[in-house]
């Protein structure tokens, strides 16, 4: 309990500092930086897994509530850029595995699941089952998510002039109680149904699907209120920062340094795909950047919501990326890790 209280206090201080300094996305970036600094200083912190999943459910409802018939029909037009997602994942693995294995000396399982741009929990689970270093995987993926989430707001604001200070929704007091109850139902029921059927990313995709169905049926007519989106940002940011709790100097020099180098590689690969899509005018540049940035699904959802991007486009590409990694990674890892037969 003391660790949880301390973690919340540190994350809250980060929000305050970011607000005072007028820095972008204080509710998301403030907790990330504050918890990261506290972890490096040796503070003992602890997140709340259930609350983190609940916050992801809020984001799922927020995305689903934006669905309209026209929007769903338009998703068929994404095929050209969607086809590039598995290609990007393959290229990342082709470059990333030798990078971690040859340059940093990680074993194959750790190298493979460090390179795969999938969800943190999934990569830790698969990596552990394959005999990889779970602690190294945790730090590498936390660093990947942190670097991308921190860099993108400054790119969006500096290059496109996106106003990231606008409220992400209307105040809760202005929404009908019936709408708030429908959002709660979509979040809880969608999450639990998706979990029961074994859907990956159940806490965000389940609520998104159920809220989307409600929106298409005309039942759900509003997104979750600003307070709920701010809370989601706060807990997601806090979760990213607390991944560094207990980090040692040796881990910083090896695991975190390796991850930072890989972020440069990831950025170059992603930028290449974004540039190709831009040159052939396949999609708007801002949406393309958000769709092909290999960050966490929840974090990219937050940024897309705040930036006012085409949610269907961004989410469709991230879901396909995560699905490609989850389905393909264990199979590919098993094939490539087997010694050649005599």
């Amino acid at each position: 309990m003391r660790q949880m209280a301390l973690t919340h206090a540190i994350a809250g201080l980060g929000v305050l500092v970011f607000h005072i300094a007028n820095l972008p996305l204080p509710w998301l970036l403030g907790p990330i930086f504050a918890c990261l600094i506290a972890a490096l200083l040796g503070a003992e912190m602890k997140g709340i897994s259930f609350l983190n999943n609940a916050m992801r459910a809020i984001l799922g409802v927020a995305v689903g509530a934006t669905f309209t018939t026209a929007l769903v029909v338009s998703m068929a037009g994404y095929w050209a850029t969607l086809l590039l997602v598995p290609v990007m994942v393959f290229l990342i693995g082709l470059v990333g595995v030798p990078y971690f294995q040859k340059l940093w000396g990680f074993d194959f399982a750790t190298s493979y699941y460090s390179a795969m741009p999938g969800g943190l929990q999934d990569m830790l689970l698969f990596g552990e089952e394959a005999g990889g270093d779970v602690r190294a995987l945790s730090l590498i993926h936390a660093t990947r998510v942190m670097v991308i989430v921190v860099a993108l707001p400054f790119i969006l604001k500096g290059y496109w002039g996106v106003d990231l200070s606008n409220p992400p929704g209307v105040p809760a007091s202005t929404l009908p109680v019936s709408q708030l109850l429908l959002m709660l139902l979509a979040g809880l029921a969608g999450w639990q149904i998706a979990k029961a059927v074994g859907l990956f990313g159940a806490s965000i995709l389940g609520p998104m699907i159920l809220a989307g169905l409600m929106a298409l049926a005309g039942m759900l007519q509003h997104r979750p209120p600003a307070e709920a989106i701010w809370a989601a940002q706060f807990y997601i940011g806090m979760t990213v920062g607390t991944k560094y709790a207990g980090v040692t100097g040796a881990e910083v020099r090896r695991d975190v340094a390796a991850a930072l180098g890989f972020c440069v590689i990831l950025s170059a690969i992603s930028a290449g795909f974004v540039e190709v899509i831009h040159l052939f005018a396949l999609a708007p540049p801002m949406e393309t950047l958000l769709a092909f940035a290999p960050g966490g699904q929840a974090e990219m959802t937050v940024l897309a919501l705040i930036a006012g991007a085409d949610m269907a486009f961004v989410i469709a590409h991230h879901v396909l990326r995560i699905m490609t990694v989850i389905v393909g990674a264990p199979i590919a890892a098993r094939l490539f890790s087997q010694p050649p037969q005599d």
Side-chain angles (χ1 to χ4, degrees):
M1 185 64 69
R2 185 185 66 82
Q3 288 180 340
M4 290 182 182
L6 175 63
T7 305
H8 281 74
I10 291 170
L13 179 61
V15 174
L16 179 62
V17 170
F18 265 61
H19 267 299
I20 293 173
N22 198 28
L23 292 170
L25 298 181
W27 288 95
L28 178 66
L29 301 186
I32 288 178
F33 274 105
C35 291
L36 171 62
I37 292 170
L40 294 174
L41 293 175
E44 295 182 1
M45 296 180 295
K46 186 177 182 180
I48 305 174
S49 178
F50 174 80
L51 269 178
N52 183 51
N53 283 326
M55 297 303 121
R56 292 169 67 90
I58 290 174
L59 295 179
V61 173
V63 174
T66 64
F67 284 6
T68 62
T69 303
L71 187 65
V72 173
V73 171
S74 71
M75 292 177 72
Y78 305 158
W79 66 269
T81 52
L82 286 170
L83 286 175
L84 293 175
V85 172
V87 178
M88 187 180 76
V89 171
F90 175 77
L91 185 58
I92 288 172
L94 194 65
V95 176
V97 175
Y99 167 80
F100 284 109
Q101 194 171 21
K102 305 297 183 183
L103 189 59
W104 291 95
F106 290 107
D107 60 77
F108 177 82
T110 305
S111 299
Y112 188 86
Y113 288 105
S114 292
M116 286 294 99
L120 174 63
Q121 299 303 325
D122 301 308
M123 294 305 95
L124 292 184
L125 177 62
F126 290 152
E128 184 177 21
E129 289 179 351
D133 184 337
V134 176
R135 176 64 176 175
L137 286 168
S138 179
L139 289 171
I140 289 167
H141 282 290
T143 302
R144 167 177 64 88
V145 171
M146 183 195 68
V147 169
I148 292 171
V149 171
V150 169
L152 279 179
F154 292 97
I155 295 173
L156 293 172
K157 190 173 183 179
Y159 192 79
W160 282 290
V162 177
D163 186 0
L164 298 174
S165 62
N166 289 327
V170 298
S173 59
T174 65
L175 293 176
V177 174
S178 59
Q179 286 289 294
L180 293 173
L181 290 175
L182 281 175
M183 293 174 197
L184 182 63
L185 174 64
L188 291 176
W191 173 12
Q192 294 307 314
I193 293 171
K195 185 178 178 181
V197 300
L199 180 67
F200 70 91
S203 60
I204 190 169
L205 292 184
M208 183 186 78
I209 293 169
L210 185 53
L213 293 174
M214 288 181 173
L216 291 170
M219 298 167 59
L220 190 58
Q221 300 161 355
H222 297 275
R223 277 196 342 211
E227 295 89 342
I229 304 297
W230 281 326
Q233 293 180 58
F234 179 82
Y235 279 98
I236 288 169
M238 187 173 76
T239 299
V240 173
T242 53
K243 293 296 180 186
Y244 293 90
V247 67
T248 64
E251 288 175 329
V252 170
R253 289 189 296 272
R254 186 193 186 200
D255 301 345
V256 176
L260 290 172
F262 188 53
C263 285
V264 175
I265 296 172
L266 280 175
S267 299
I269 293 174
S270 300
F273 278 85
V274 171
E275 185 61 24
V276 167
I277 292 169
H278 175 64
L279 287 175
F280 286 92
L282 297 176
M286 186 179 75
E287 274 78 2
T288 303
L289 176 64
L290 289 168
F292 280 81
Q297 186 181 14
E299 293 80 12
M300 294 299 99
T301 301
V302 167
L303 291 176
L305 280 170
I306 303 283
D310 181 339
M311 294 302 302
F313 181 85
V314 174
I315 297 303
H317 288 75
H318 281 291
V319 168
L320 179 58
R321 171 172 61 86
I322 300 299
M323 186 168 66
T324 300
V325 172
I326 289 177
V327 173
I331 298 171
R334 193 174 300 114
L335 288 174
F336 287 111
S337 63
Q338 288 178 346
Q341 299 295 320
D342 294 330

